[in-house]
Amino acid sequence: MDFIYSIVVPHYNSEQGLKRLLHSIPARADIQIIVIDDNSSEAIDSECLHQQFKGHHLEFLTNSTGVKGAGSARNVGLKQIRGQYTLFADADDLFCSGTFELLDTLLRGDDITYFSPTSRCDVSGELSDRHHIYANLVRDYLDTGDEDIRYHFSVPWSKVFRSDFIQQNALYFDQVIASNDVMFSLVSGRKAASISVHPQEIYCVTRGKGTLTVNFKPAVVRSRYVVELKRIEYIAEFEIPTDSNSLYKMVKNFHKVMSLRDFMDVVGLVLQRKISIVPKRTYYYLKNPIALFDRFVKRKQSLSSQKYQA
């Protein structure tokens, strides 16, 4: 390996955000930064960025696969990684101060090392809530050893992967318009022979107007639905000991794009015992109401995404 760290960054029309991200990465000879432009309408001025970030090892690629999307762009980047460890970042996010110095001391060769992220609202500049679900998974693992973190930490950032692990298992991202990282995270979590989890914050995900996470156009929601079906089937096939999904949540989240045939297919998943009727935790909390109270006291909840609608 030529580097200690390889950072894979898909980019689309966010050069200012990319500059902010690059400013958060130290200028070190052992860090490879791979930026894959996903056919932006506003071309990256790579020569100017090379000049501005002279101390960084920057590599600029173009997603020429013919399939647009962050998943496809990330796959292009994966073919170029030459670091011992691989990290993923979105062009509009940033790493926390001291991240790589911390990694230098904590990484011990595990297939995946998870960290607690933080988040910031680009609308108001205040702290956001987008990271709470992942911070909760980190806390639950550290408190109880709950390995749901392997199967529900569905984003690629705020983790460090051993590069050989990615390559030996031929891991890749789905080439879809939404939820491209869900299966990558699930499959890697299942296949990891060793993981470690740390409470320190290494990554700040930003939340702004018009981003994909708050896009509920039919094509985007349909993509999420198709990926969720794939996820359910994978969990069932490998008998992964985790909560898969429920009829209630499937209808709640995807009813706007579900046909009658889709609804019957989801009912079929219930009959096959691949999903439950309501979330399994609901049964637990009905039997243990005190645990429900404790959950709401301890766990931070995500707020409405309405103000981020474009």
Side-chain angles (χ1 to χ4, degrees):
M1 294 291 185
D2 299 333
F3 304 93
I4 294 179
Y5 305 109
S6 292
I7 307 172
V8 177
V9 185
H11 169 272
Y12 181 75
N13 286 348
S14 183
E15 187 164 327
Q16 288 305 117
L18 178 59
K19 288 179 181 179
R20 179 176 64 181
L21 172 67
L22 294 177
H23 276 298
S24 74
I25 301 171
R28 287 175 32 173
D30 59 359
I31 300 177
Q32 175 195 26
I33 306 170
I34 308 168
V35 179
I36 311 95
D37 185 65
D38 192 27
N39 301 282
S40 296
S41 58
E42 305 166 7
I44 292 180
D45 190 343
S46 58
E47 185 174 340
C48 180
L49 287 173
H50 273 300
Q51 288 297 318
Q52 186 174 351
F53 297 94
K54 287 183 179 179
H56 293 69
H57 184 93
L58 277 169
E59 300 176 19
F60 290 97
L61 306 172
T62 299
N63 179 12
S64 56
T65 63
V67 181
K68 291 193 67 173
S72 180
R74 285 173 175 144
N75 289 338
V76 171
L78 282 177
K79 294 178 182 178
Q80 305 300 323
I81 57 175
R82 303 199 306 278
Q84 181 181 355
Y85 295 103
T86 297
L87 297 88
F88 297 94
D90 288 340
D92 52 356
D93 295 337
L94 63 155
F95 288 99
C96 298
S97 177
T99 285
F100 291 88
E101 292 80 4
L102 180 68
L103 298 183
D104 290 340
T105 65
L106 289 181
L107 296 181
R108 294 290 185 269
D110 292 295
D111 290 340
I112 309 175
T113 305
Y114 298 83
F115 291 87
S116 186
T118 185
S119 60
R120 189 169 76 194
C121 173
D122 271 351
V123 176
S124 65
E126 300 172 331
L127 289 176
S128 175
D129 60 349
R130 189 178 166 196
H131 68 290
H132 287 172
I133 183 174
Y134 309 111
N136 287 336
L137 288 167
V138 168
R139 183 188 62 80
D140 288 349
Y141 180 90
L142 294 174
D143 284 354
T144 67
D146 185 349
E147 292 216 336
D148 267 0
I149 194 169
R150 288 178 176 263
Y151 316 119
H152 296 278
F153 205 118
S154 58
V155 291
W157 36 259
S158 208
K159 309 173 188 173
V160 182
F161 296 84
R162 189 170 58 83
S163 298
D164 283 347
F165 166 69
I166 292 176
Q167 294 164 343
Q168 289 163 4
N169 287 279
L171 298 173
Y172 64 92
F173 291 85
D174 284 341
Q175 298 187 148
V176 293
I177 61 174
S179 298
N180 71 86
D181 44 8
V182 168
M183 290 305 298
F184 178 91
S185 297
L186 174 62
V187 174
S188 62
R190 184 186 75 85
K191 290 190 172 184
S194 63
I195 68 169
S196 60
V197 182
H198 300 277
Q200 292 92 334
E201 297 174 349
I202 68 165
Y203 189 86
C204 179
V205 57
T206 63
R207 199 172 189 190
K209 284 193 173 184
T211 58
L212 187 60
T213 54
V214 292
N215 186 327
F216 298 103
K217 292 180 180 179
V220 173
V221 178
R222 184 73 190 180
S223 177
R224 293 181 183 130
Y225 170 71
V226 171
V227 171
E228 185 57 28
L229 291 179
K230 188 176 179 180
R231 175 181 171 276
I232 290 167
E233 292 293 347
Y234 188 88
I235 289 174
E237 178 182 357
F238 292 99
E239 299 180 344
I240 296 174
T242 189
D243 193 359
S244 175
N245 209 318
S246 67
L247 175 64
Y248 168 77
K249 288 185 68 176
M250 290 293 284
V251 173
K252 176 177 180 288
N253 292 337
F254 305 116
H255 66 277
K256 290 184 178 180
V257 298
M258 291 176 66
S259 65
L260 178 59
R261 175 61 184 272
D262 291 328
F263 177 75
M264 296 307 298
D265 288 343
V266 172
V267 171
L269 294 174
V270 176
L271 297 177
Q272 297 170 61
R273 297 186 177 181
K274 293 179 179 179
I275 64 174
S276 55
I277 297 176
V278 297
K280 291 181 179 178
R281 287 182 182 270
T282 301
Y283 297 115
Y284 172 77
Y285 290 131
L286 287 174
K287 296 178 180 178
N288 302 274
I290 294 178
L292 178 62
F293 174 77
D294 185 58
R295 175 178 184 269
F296 278 97
V297 168
K298 286 186 176 181
R299 294 172 72 90
K300 295 181 179 179
Q301 305 298 310
S302 292
L303 306 175
S304 169
S305 61
Q306 185 175 358
K307 69 178 178 180
Y308 298 101
Q309 300 295 317

